[in-house]
Amino acid sequence: MSPGSLRLDESLPINHPCVDANKRVAFFATDVFLRLNGWQLDVEAGPAHAFLMGRFDSDTSDFDHLLAWIR
């Protein structure tokens, strides 16, 4: 998976292009991108939410942290 493939998930929550729902849009965009490229996230909602919110809250929602989790 190339570094460019997850840039939306990294930049949308940080740059806040929307008034609301930046994190949800980032997750959705990443999920759609992965599906279009033959990949599918296999995670439960609760643990996925906890992980992602932890990344956003600790300001570690960067490419390296997200790629390791997605793999």
Side-chain angles (χ1 to χ4, degrees):
M1 189 176 310
S2 70
S5 64
L6 295 177
R7 294 299 182 206
L8 283 176
D9 196 44
E10 183 177 8
S11 69
L12 284 172
I14 294 169
N15 296 314
H16 304 282
C18 306
V19 174
D20 191 19
N22 292 294
K23 295 172 192 166
R24 289 184 295 252
V25 170
F27 181 79
F28 179 75
T30 299
D31 185 49
V32 169
F33 179 88
L34 291 171
R35 288 173 187 254
L36 289 172
N37 287 282
W39 297 85
Q40 186 169 349
L41 294 174
D42 185 20
V43 297
E44 293 183 29
H49 182 265
F51 171 80
L52 292 170
M53 292 310 292
R55 295 295 108 210
F56 296 132
D57 292 342
S58 65
D59 211 19
T60 57
S61 61
D62 55 68
F63 177 75
D64 293 327
H65 286 96
L66 296 171
L67 181 60
W69 178 74
I70 287 173
R71 284 189 172 159

